[in-house]
Amino acid sequence: MTEDRLIRIKRLAMRSMRRGIKEMDLILSAYADTHLAAMSEAELDAYEALLEENDQDLYQWVSGQIQAPDEHAALIARIAEGAHGLTRPA
């Protein structure tokens, strides 16, 4: 059975706000609130794959401390655009 789109979005939003470190809770929940509803199924798949990554790695990618892997680079760049002030002063 396939998951209803609205349920999937709610699940991904919850996973975005219940991370391992508070910084990623704030960054990902803000991104999810703004973007999940408008994402295509392929974009939701990519976001869900990103949520499988370790929070410490995600934070370093979003904050620009280290380069994100190619498969996540475009999505990380979009998330980082909205994370100014959370990862570094605006």
Side-chain angles (χ1 to χ4, degrees), residues 68-79:
D70 290 343
E71 67 267 20
H72 297 309
L75 181 53
I76 289 292
R78 288 191 299 274
I79 293 169

Side-chain angles (χ1 to χ4, degrees), residues 13-89:
M14 182 62 70
R15 286 186 64 201
S16 297
M17 74 172 83
R18 300 287 173 129
R19 303 297 305 176
I21 60 174
K22 188 64 174 173
E23 293 85 354
M24 290 314 301
D25 291 350
L26 296 171
I27 292 166
L28 292 177
S29 63
Y31 182 82
D33 289 346
T34 303
H35 298 285
L36 285 183
M39 286 182 165
S40 69
E41 290 304 312
E43 290 170 324
L44 289 173
D45 290 345
Y47 187 73
E48 190 162 10
L50 182 75
L51 293 180
E52 295 297 324
E53 298 290 348
N54 178 290
D55 272 356
Q56 286 75 21
D57 292 337
L58 285 171
Y59 186 75
Q60 288 182 328
W61 300 337
V62 171
S63 66
Q65 295 174 36
I66 60 174
Q67 187 173 357
D70 290 343
E71 67 267 20
H72 297 309
L75 181 53
I76 289 292
R78 288 191 299 274
I79 293 169
E81 287 175 8
H84 290 290
L86 295 173
T87 60
R88 58 192 167 276

